[in-house]
Amino acid sequence: MNKTIALIPGDGIGPDVVAEAVNVLNAVADKYGHHFEYKNVIAGGCAIDKFGKPLPQEQLDICLNSDAALLGAVGGPKWDNLPSEIRPEKALLGLRGGMKVFANLRPAVMWKQLKDACPLKDEIVGDGLDILIVRELTGGIYFGDRGTSEDQNTAWDTEKYTRPEIERIVRMGFEYAQKRQKRLCVVDKANILNSSQLWRRVAEDVKKDYPDVTLSYLYIDNASMQLVRNPRQFDVIATSNMFGDILSDEASQITGSIGMLASASLGDGTGPGLYEPIHGSAPDIAGKDLANPLATILSAAMLLRYSFSMEKEARDIENAVNAVLDEGWRTGDIAGAKRDEVSAAGKLVGTKKMGQLVVDRIKK
Ligand code: NAD
């Protein structure tokens, strides 16, 4: 299969981790007879330096004209004091809005080999965690009407949702639940917010099309508590932009390492999807061969699965990562408390070596 992939390395460790993901994609292409053509996209702080803005239209167009896009991360202290409309993070909103990717899928998976890094007790996590959060990405309070009064002493933001905006997220939640453990939890604040009550009405209507899926509801305050109290009760969670933002960070924290978590942002299927690790540009370790590339490599696996329907190839990458972890290889962030032990065993590795280990495993 011939496919074009837009690469958006971005800033900080972005270029380091994207380079490893490309090596892995190339190994997959060789093995399965595909051809991936890469188009480089300059976005984020590096685009501010080069063009004076974080996401020039022609850079976005490269993404729109590709079959999928893989992003590293954007931002860093160099650009922190710029006015908000030209900050690197604007590139993220520009990409999401421009590519019309309205749903963010974040699997929060705890790898059994990294159980030590999980801050929860053994009896709570059991054999591991596997939660999928479907977060609405282009609506709600982050995009609603906002303002500050003239005297600067009053400010407001508006949470507003329409039925179609909610329905496409809830439907996606049901679809994924159907392929997993058939449980969907809609998280909201329906005891107070009108917009949340609409989420519930829509979920009740959509439920009729998925009789095999059990639908439940939790208020956001309870859901964030349940996530640390009994995370294994969750299979798929569907929720609004802001609640999803907070819950998915909490879920990622309980899996142990930010360097392991991938994400996919998808639209209605007619345009390219956007895939990225959930971590940021980690300026503290940029260019030092210290970053864990596995979150980006796993994002590439999601890209193959969701944008190219290459399930076998995606699983090959995930199995390779699993095998490398089984063999004891660790970057610093996932070595955790056993760092000295891992180092003494010669298994503490950098970005490049970790990428190479996954490539070697795929080629086996
Ligand atoms: P961060 O995720 O970049 O880093 C948090 C901590 O985790 C740091 O100690 C970092 O070294 C470590 N870390 C992150 N990714 C790692 C990896 N792959 N391997 C090993 N360690 C890793 O978050 P931050 O420090 O809050 O933000 C840094 C910059 O990134 C900021 O400019 C922020 O705006 C930006 N950011 C970008 C994105 C994105 O592009 N999607 C997301 C979050 C933050």
Side-chain angles (χ1 to χ4, degrees):
M1 218 183 258
N2 288 345
K3 294 284 183 190
T4 307
I5 301 174
L7 295 178
I8 318 161
D11 310 310
I13 60 169
D16 309 354
V17 292
V18 167
E20 298 313 314
V22 169
N23 291 340
V24 168
L25 285 168
N26 286 339
V28 168
D30 280 351
K31 183 165 169 179
Y32 292 90
H34 303 306
H35 177 73
F36 299 144
E37 188 189 341
Y38 304 103
K39 300 247 166 97
N40 205 49
V41 175
I42 302 172
C46 53
I48 297 171
D49 290 348
K50 194 168 162 91
F51 308 113
K53 44 184 159 171
L55 183 66
Q57 183 63 42
E58 64 276 13
Q59 300 297 316
L60 173 62
D61 287 344
I62 300 174
C63 298
L64 293 173
N65 294 322
S66 300
D67 297 308
L70 182 67
L71 167 73
V74 300
K78 182 176 176 191
W79 306 281
D80 273 354
N81 296 322
L82 292 174
S84 67
E85 53 302 348
I86 57 157
R87 295 258 314 242
E89 292 74 11
K90 276 279 163 191
L92 295 177
L93 295 182
L95 283 164
R96 290 167 185 166
M99 294 172 73
K100 297 194 171 59
V101 285
F102 53 77
N104 182 239
L105 301 190
R106 273 201 192 188
V109 178
M110 198 190 76
W111 297 75
K112 62 181 188 311
Q113 304 90 335
L114 306 179
K115 209 171 161 182
D116 283 352
C118 172
L120 302 181
K121 288 184 189 149
D122 271 6
E123 61 262 35
I124 295 179
V125 285
D127 297 337
L129 298 176
D130 182 1
I131 303 168
L132 177 68
I133 298 183
V134 184
R135 166 189 167 195
E136 199 289 322
L137 202 58
T138 53
I141 197 163
Y142 292 175
F143 289 84
D145 176 45
R146 71 191 57 186
T148 306
S149 64
E150 259 176 43
D151 68 2
Q152 302 288 309
N153 287 329
T154 306
W156 63 94
D157 301 276
T158 316
E159 174 88 338
K160 180 178 171 190
Y161 272 112
T162 63
R163 179 171 277 272
E165 281 176 320
I166 299 168
E167 184 170 337
R168 60 194 184 182
I169 297 300
V170 170
R171 219 168 255 292
M172 207 178 258
F174 274 110
E175 298 279 338
Y176 287 115
Q178 226 168 20
K179 294 181 194 141
R180 294 168 45 106
Q181 294 169 37
K182 302 190 173 11
R183 285 180 286 125
L184 173 67
C185 180
V186 169
V187 171
D188 58 34
K189 190 70 185 168
N191 49 340
I192 296 181
L193 301 178
N194 281 5
S195 52
S196 287
Q197 288 155 15
L198 180 59
W199 273 78
R200 288 203 181 194
R201 288 201 297 279
V202 173
E204 283 301 310
D205 292 345
V206 174
K207 178 171 99 171
K208 300 180 185 91
D209 296 337
Y210 303 88
D212 52 336
V213 175
T214 307
L215 171 67
S216 62
Y217 303 97
L218 277 181
Y219 299 140
I220 177 65
D221 39 351
N222 191 11
S224 41
M225 185 179 76
Q226 295 296 335
L227 211 46
V228 288
R229 197 179 144 266
N230 178 16
R232 282 182 295 160
Q233 72 185 277
F234 295 109
D235 177 21
V236 179
I237 292 174
T239 189
S240 64
N241 202 344
M242 183 166 67
F243 295 160
D245 191 5
I246 298 164
L247 271 193
S248 54
D249 265 21
E250 185 186 352
S252 64
Q253 188 55 40
I254 60 178
T255 65
S257 173
I258 196 166
M260 292 297 298
L261 296 168
S263 82
S265 300
L266 305 175
D268 63 4
T270 57
L274 176 65
Y275 300 84
E276 57 184 302
I278 69 146
H279 60 71
S281 60
D284 51 331
I285 55 168
K288 295 182 181 166
D289 196 36
L290 288 174
N292 183 351
L294 294 177
T296 314
I297 289 171
L298 292 166
S299 301
M302 290 185 88
L303 181 157
L304 298 182
R305 173 174 292 122
Y306 294 119
S307 280
F308 300 169
S309 298
M310 295 180 182
E311 178 61 31
K312 201 161 30 108
E313 292 85 335
R315 269 186 199 275
D316 205 350
I317 295 178
E318 289 158 356
N319 290 340
V321 169
N322 198 40
V324 167
L325 293 177
D326 268 347
E327 287 165 9
W329 302 99
R330 302 283 186 271
T331 44
D333 60 310
I334 52 176
K338 294 194 172 153
R339 196 187 173 95
D340 291 345
E341 217 177 290
V342 175
S343 178
K347 300 226 157 166
L348 188 64
V349 294
T351 313
K352 293 196 175 89
K353 174 79 177 170
M354 186 54 106
Q356 190 57 45
L357 286 162
V358 177
V359 166
D360 292 346
R361 193 76 203 186
I362 288 168
K363 284 184 175 166
K364 262 191 189 166

